[in-house]
Amino acid sequence: MTLNNYRKEDKVLLSIECIIYGFYQDELKILLIQREFGSTKDRWSLIGDFLKNEEELNNAASRIVNQLTGLNNMYMEQVHSYSKPDHILEEKIISVSYIALINIENYCKNILKENPIKWFAIKDIPSLVFDHNKMIKDSLALLRNRISNRPIAFELLPEKFTMRQLQKIYEVILGTELDKRNFINKFNSLDLLNKLNEKDMTSSKKGAFLFEFDEVKYLRKVAEGFCFKV
Amino acid sequence: MTLNNYRKEDKVLLSIECIIYGFYQDELKILLIQREFGSTKDRWSLIGDFLKNEEELNNAASRIVNQLTGLNNMYMEQVHSYSKPDHILEEKIISVSYIALINIENYCKNILKENPIKWFAIKDIPSLVFDHNKMIKDSLALLRNRISNRPIAFELLPEKFTMRQLQKIYEVILGTELDKRNFINKFNSLDLLNKLNEKDMTSSKKGAFLFEFDEVKYLRKVAEGFCFKV
DNA sequence: TCAAAAGTGTTTGTGATACACCCATGG
DNA sequence: CCATGGGTGTATCACAAACACTTTTGA
């Protein structure tokens, strides 16, 4: 923008690649799509599209996730931009990656049936097209950072969840086992969860109490200088 | 890349904006350039250029910094991509920002004389074109994170530096005052610096011992699982 | 009655923080 | 001789980590 004028031939296609995370059965999963055309036919890929002329980056990312999940207003965040997604169509392509966190139970299952898309556990991700594996790796590093510094684990959970589910999310994202007593003590000291008078009976005979994240309380505390840190 | 085909009119110009940081006289500074043409003539701006067709993002960023400083191999890192730098030339523009950390004493002063560029202390940044102020803000957040988790402060210092200089870098980037005893104790416990038998006599009558960062030792420790953390 | 998951507190250790005085020297 | 910045060690506190047994109940 400063040194030189631009040349028409320097224009690029801009693709947005969305890394859609869900959490289900104690596993962190990513939604992938199987390509139907072209030289990469049948290979798995992140979910993406080209930026349209009238769009902004964030809006394009939201549109793409919405088109495949039917969801709106999920947590999304830009991760990184890449210049090496092998040129296709003889055009130069720059890719901008985003993470999206969704409650896997909410997304529209009809879309899943109509498209060659599938949830893959993070540890079972196959070899993907272009540099999509690298994008996932980078996004996981971001996710690891965010989950310790922002209350985003709840984006991956239903409104009501058990402490074990919450703990498991931290464990799979951080890649470490945590002590359940320390974990609960920690969250209790943060004072951000409401314990409900309901139990989840699916995981044990005794049943586990359900909790919910109190976002209003969280925002009030932030306004008073509170800083989330796990 | 998945859902739709692209249209020629969706191609964009891609600009790279470099936030070049230097540290001098106890202040964190950024190199800015005054625009010489167009509707933004005379206003200050980050240093940038358009991505060339044959270039990758990281290489373009290096090229841009090199053209203005004469330096190579400085620490650089991509920060974020933006889609709202007011359209100029009636073209859609996407901007990718980078930070570059340089030792302010090393850069080529001749270039400074030949160009309308100038170092601005971080607290004296004027209102810049487009969303460049926002880019600086975002880059500072990244820098704050990095300086606590990677040994990058040394990129802003000469080979030989005093503990006070090092501490000052942490103070200006983190925006807090630090206790000098705690700071020294902390760095001593990390065991990454070599104390030299030389003193810097410019800042006091007694003189302050010079130190250097032992990168070989650092890399050896990292290989053994060491994790830098200040 | 037993297997399987839920729930619950205390102790210990490490690292962060707070803090004040003497030293060396050039002017 | 004094003003200026350089250099040094310890006591306290807060948080992280380690740790084991009892409860509930469906099968």
Side-chain angles (χ1 to χ4, degrees):
Chain A
M1 285 174 85
T2 301
L3 300 173
N4 300 308
N5 283 324
Y6 77 98
R7 303 170 302 175
K8 275 275 187 260
E9 63 269 26
D10 289 334
K11 291 183 80 173
V12 302
L13 272 171
L14 201 137
S15 84
I16 312 279
E17 305 294 339
C18 297
I19 302 147
I20 304 175
Y21 283 98
F23 179 75
Y24 187 58
Q25 289 179 336
D26 286 0
E27 292 211 277
L28 186 67
K29 304 194 181 215
I30 291 177
L31 200 54
L32 298 175
I33 191 164
Q34 196 167 30
R35 294 189 159 234
E36 299 182 275
F37 313 102
S39 60
T40 54
K41 184 171 181 320
D42 293 337
R43 292 187 60 197
W44 292 91
S45 149
L46 287 173
I47 285 150
D49 193 9
F50 291 108
L51 180 75
K52 295 185 192 302
N53 194 271
E54 68 283 2
E55 265 182 335
E56 288 185 29
L57 291 169
N58 292 351
N59 296 340
S62 299
R63 166 177 62 82
I64 292 164
V65 177
N66 175 261
Q67 282 173 335
L68 262 114
T69 65
L71 298 175
N72 280 305
N73 300 118
M74 74 292 294
Y75 180 89
M76 292 199 71
E77 185 174 350
Q78 189 190 114
V79 183
H80 197 78
S81 297
Y82 302 84
S83 50
K84 246 202 259 187
D86 307 14
H87 296 208
I88 61 170
L89 308 164
E90 304 193 356
E91 297 282 1
K92 185 179 182 70
I93 296 177
I94 301 294
S95 299
V96 183
S97 67
Y98 278 80
I99 54 171
L101 307 185
I102 73 172
N103 173 355
I104 212 164
E105 288 174 7
N106 285 354
Y107 89 108
C108 179
K109 273 122 193 136
N110 294 334
I111 295 172
L112 187 61
K113 288 178 195 132
E114 290 165 17
N115 284 282
I117 64 179
K118 197 175 134 189
W119 287 101
F120 284 80
I122 210 73
K123 57 186 180 203
D124 302 324
I125 304 286
S127 167
L128 307 178
V129 300
F130 309 135
D131 47 358
H132 289 192
N133 290 93
K134 163 83 166 129
M135 290 183 190
I136 289 174
K137 188 165 164 253
D138 292 345
S139 77
L140 259 172
L142 180 72
L143 194 55
R144 259 193 293 280
N145 180 280
R146 289 293 180 262
I147 204 169
S148 299
N149 299 298
R150 295 190 197 169
I152 59 163
F154 312 107
E155 307 283 341
L156 293 163
L157 288 169
E159 287 283 307
K160 302 171 181 183
F161 52 84
T162 67
M163 289 306 285
R164 296 294 283 176
Q165 288 177 298
L166 183 60
Q167 182 181 338
K168 199 71 195 174
I169 288 193
Y170 277 86
E171 289 183 338
V172 295
I173 293 178
L174 297 176
T176 54
E177 301 241 311
L178 300 172
D179 179 276
K180 68 178 170 179
R181 278 169 297 185
N182 291 340
F183 185 80
I184 289 171
N185 289 162
K186 179 74 201 181
F187 259 96
N188 281 344
S189 74
L190 293 178
D191 185 29
L192 294 172
L193 303 182
N194 295 328
K195 185 174 188 172
L196 304 175
N197 274 327
E198 289 175 67
K199 282 191 164 186
D200 168 78
M201 302 305 295
T202 63
S203 62
S204 74
K205 294 152 189 173
K206 185 179 179 181
F209 277 104
L210 290 166
F211 291 77
E212 61 181 12
F213 173 58
D214 190 336
E215 188 163 10
V216 174
K217 187 185 274 186
Y218 169 67
L219 293 173
R220 196 176 337 119
K221 293 180 77 137
V222 167
E224 291 164 2
F226 171 78
C227 188
F228 182 91
K229 188 83 195 154
V230 175
Chain B
M1 283 175 87
T2 302
L3 301 173
N4 300 308
N5 283 326
Y6 77 97
R7 303 169 303 178
K8 273 277 188 261
E9 63 269 26
D10 290 335
K11 292 183 78 173
V12 302
L13 272 171
L14 202 138
S15 84
I16 312 279
E17 304 294 339
C18 297
I19 302 148
I20 304 174
Y21 282 98
F23 179 74
Y24 187 57
Q25 289 179 336
D26 285 358
E27 291 210 278
L28 186 66
K29 305 194 182 215
I30 290 178
L31 200 54
L32 298 174
I33 190 164
Q34 195 168 30
R35 294 188 160 235
E36 298 182 275
F37 314 101
S39 60
T40 54
K41 183 173 182 320
D42 293 338
R43 292 186 61 197
W44 291 92
S45 150
L46 288 172
I47 284 150
D49 195 7
F50 291 109
L51 181 75
K52 295 185 192 303
N53 194 272
E54 68 283 1
E55 264 182 336
E56 288 184 30
L57 291 169
N58 292 350
N59 295 341
S62 298
R63 166 179 60 82
I64 292 164
V65 177
N66 175 262
Q67 283 173 335
L68 262 113
T69 65
L71 299 176
N72 280 303
N73 300 118
M74 75 289 297
Y75 180 89
M76 292 199 70
E77 187 174 351
Q78 189 190 112
V79 183
H80 198 78
S81 296
Y82 301 84
S83 50
K84 247 203 260 187
D86 306 15
H87 297 206
I88 60 168
L89 308 162
E90 305 192 356
E91 298 281 2
K92 185 177 181 72
I93 296 178
I94 301 293
S95 299
V96 183
S97 66
Y98 278 80
I99 54 170
L101 307 185
I102 71 172
N103 173 355
I104 212 164
E105 288 174 7
N106 285 354
Y107 89 108
C108 178
K109 272 122 196 137
N110 294 334
I111 294 173
L112 187 61
K113 287 179 196 132
E114 290 165 16
N115 284 283
I117 63 178
K118 197 176 134 188
W119 288 101
F120 284 80
I122 210 74
K123 56 186 180 203
D124 301 325
I125 305 285
S127 167
L128 307 178
V129 300
F130 310 135
D131 49 357
H132 289 192
N133 290 94
K134 164 82 166 128
M135 291 183 191
I136 289 175
K137 189 163 163 255
D138 292 345
S139 76
L140 259 172
L142 179 72
L143 194 54
R144 259 194 293 279
N145 180 281
R146 289 293 180 263
I147 204 169
S148 300
N149 300 297
R150 296 189 196 169
I152 59 163
F154 312 108
E155 306 284 341
L156 293 163
L157 288 169
E159 287 282 306
K160 301 172 182 182
F161 51 84
T162 67
M163 289 307 283
R164 297 293 283 176
Q165 287 176 298
L166 183 60
Q167 182 180 339
K168 200 71 196 175
I169 287 193
Y170 277 85
E171 289 182 337
V172 295
I173 292 180
L174 297 176
T176 54
E177 301 241 312
L178 301 172
D179 180 277
K180 68 179 172 177
R181 275 170 299 185
N182 291 339
F183 185 81
I184 288 171
N185 288 162
K186 178 73 199 180
F187 259 95
N188 281 344
S189 74
L190 293 178
D191 186 29
L192 295 172
L193 303 182
N194 295 328
K195 185 173 186 172
L196 304 175
N197 274 326
E198 289 175 67
K199 282 190 165 187
D200 167 77
M201 302 305 295
T202 62
S203 62
S204 74
K205 292 153 190 171
K206 185 179 178 181
F209 277 105
L210 290 166
F211 292 77
E212 61 181 12
F213 173 59
D214 190 335
E215 188 163 10
V216 174
K217 187 185 277 185
Y218 168 68
L219 293 173
R220 196 176 336 117
K221 292 180 80 141
V222 167
E224 291 164 2
F226 171 77
C227 188
F228 182 91
K229 187 86 193 151
V230 174

